[in-house]
Amino acid sequence: MRATVVTSFDQPMEIFDVPVPEPGPGEILVRIEASGLCHTDIHAARGDWPVKPNPPFVPGHEGVGIVERVGEGVTEHAVGHRVALPWLGWACGTCAHCVSGWETLCESQRNTGYSVDGAHAEYAVASARYAVRVPDGVDPCEAAPLTCAGVTTYKAVKVAAVRPGDRVAVFGIGGLGHLAQQYAQLFGGETVAVDVTEEKLRLARDLGATHTVNAAEVDPVEAVTALGGADVAIVLAASPAVIAQAHHSLRRGGRLVLVSLPKENGFTLPVFETVLKGITVIGSIVGTRADLAEVFRLHAAGRTRVAYEVRKLDEINEAVEDVLAGRVAARLVLQP
């Protein structure tokens, strides 16, 4: 099969011919139909984060495809099922986090496309237990971005406890942001889309944003404050400066939700303002299998829309450059 391989953190990814992997006990072999390009894939390929993957490896954790073979003991899926391979590739299932509904915090977890080979390939092996069934009728190119961008932002809106009438500012409208905005609206929020690209703000308006703020033209803190401040600010841009802007845009009692992972790994938290304004800072990791199933059900019911462009797997390095240069309005989806 053809697979994208990270051979070194300082070299472009390469397409190699490698053997099709064999599913072991409890595993499935999936023929990949579509695989979303997440910014995490770029961080992984460049070794940006403190805990680094070990080259060579195949990135990609938004894989969607058809089950071709099942390993011994698999009961969750059958040949012919369409499934999604999310970031949470495996968890122990027995620790306090797993048994309390927070499997995404499992300290023994394995992550697709990071600690185990991922979906930027023609085939991938995955744990049957942690692959999630894609409902009939959902296009695989739409299901792929929902597998990470969707479930991550859905969980962020959930943990922010967005209530009807809350003003929700989404900092960074793109692959994640255009979905975060839709989930906030489904929860009854009044949305403020903040970005530096007019194309992305047009997308936000098309999806129903109540307000848009072009942070390249105006001070986003002043703009959001002029609206009365945000009850919730969800940060999806991987920039400490944007995190600070989001914090300063909150009204009293507001919730700052951190989702993006800037390689700088920090920002200056203004303690006096945080305490005196009663601000809550929340770190939100990806959602669980149950969250992803909810995301798929919402999409199958026509409640969300996925904006994406399709590229060929061979074009992955060009796709990365387009993402980094801000030339992509929402999500790129790779097809073998």
Side-chain angles (χ1 to χ4, degrees):
M1 71 172 187
R2 293 161 58 253
T4 299
V5 180
V6 177
T7 58
S8 171
F9 295 137
D10 58 2
Q11 296 294 324
M13 289 178 271
E14 298 184 61
I15 304 293
F16 288 134
D17 287 321
V18 301
V20 175
E22 288 290 334
E27 295 181 333
I28 53 177
L29 175 69
V30 179
R31 174 175 53 81
I32 301 298
E33 299 175 291
S35 183
L37 179 62
C38 180
H39 211 113
T40 296
D41 297 328
I42 302 173
H43 290 305
R46 300 188 173 193
D48 284 339
W49 291 342
V51 179
K52 304 180 191 304
N54 295 311
F57 66 93
V58 178
H61 57 274
E62 289 186 346
V64 172
I66 304 298
V67 177
E68 293 269 313
R69 292 204 297 276
V70 300
E72 180 184 350
V74 170
T75 58
E76 296 86 356
H77 303 291
V79 171
H81 283 181
R82 176 172 285 129
V83 297
L85 310 183
W87 171 253
L88 185 67
W90 181 89
C92 75
T94 58
C95 70
H97 300 302
C98 285
V99 300
S100 63
W102 283 96
E103 60 193 26
T104 50
L105 299 181
C106 176
E107 294 185 67
S108 301
Q109 68 183 269
R110 300 172 195 158
N111 301 116
T112 308
Y114 209 88
S115 54
V116 296
D117 283 339
H120 291 335
E122 292 181 316
Y123 291 87
V125 159
S127 166
R129 186 175 298 170
Y130 287 87
V132 177
R133 182 78 184 270
V134 177
D136 293 339
V138 174
D139 188 301
C141 286
E142 297 184 357
L146 294 173
T147 301
C148 179
V151 73
T152 298
T153 53
Y154 180 67
K155 191 67 168 186
V157 171
K158 268 188 163 184
V159 300
V162 172
R163 299 180 291 268
D166 277 350
R167 186 175 297 116
V168 182
V170 179
F171 283 76
I173 300 298
L176 279 80
H178 86 288
L179 290 163
Q181 174 193 323
Q182 293 177 75
Y183 296 130
Q185 289 163 185
L186 286 173
F187 278 61
E190 169 194 329
T191 52
V192 185
V194 183
D195 205 281
V196 295
T197 306
E198 189 55 39
E199 181 184 9
K200 295 179 181 180
L201 294 174
R202 282 197 299 271
L203 173 62
R205 287 191 287 270
D206 186 43
L207 292 171
T210 311
H211 312 279
T212 56
V213 175
N214 189 328
E217 298 178 354
V218 300
D219 182 335
V221 176
E222 292 181 2
V224 177
T225 300
L227 297 172
D231 297 289
V232 175
I234 300 175
V235 186
L236 303 170
S239 163
V242 175
I243 297 174
Q245 290 171 346
H247 185 283
H248 292 307
S249 75
L250 289 166
R251 60 183 303 190
R252 288 176 176 263
R255 287 93 76 196
L256 176 67
V257 185
L258 305 180
V259 178
S260 62
L261 296 170
K263 63 181 180 181
E264 296 87 351
N265 193 29
F267 80 108
T268 301
L269 179 70
V271 177
F272 271 83
E273 291 86 343
T274 300
V275 172
L276 296 180
K277 292 174 69 176
I279 289 171
T280 302
V281 180
I282 304 167
S284 182
I285 190 65
V286 297
T288 64
R289 291 167 289 176
D291 294 319
L292 181 53
E294 291 174 16
V295 163
F296 283 151
R297 285 198 294 271
L298 283 170
H299 192 70
R303 304 296 300 277
T304 54
R305 183 178 129 201
V306 180
Y308 66 93
E309 300 174 31
V310 174
R311 303 283 179 90
K312 301 304 292 183
L313 187 64
D314 293 340
E315 301 173 307
I316 188 166
N317 288 308
E318 294 86 348
V320 166
E321 294 306 317
D322 285 344
V323 169
L324 294 176
R327 292 189 288 264
V328 181
R331 205 55 152 186
L332 289 183
V333 175
L334 304 169
Q335 289 192 303

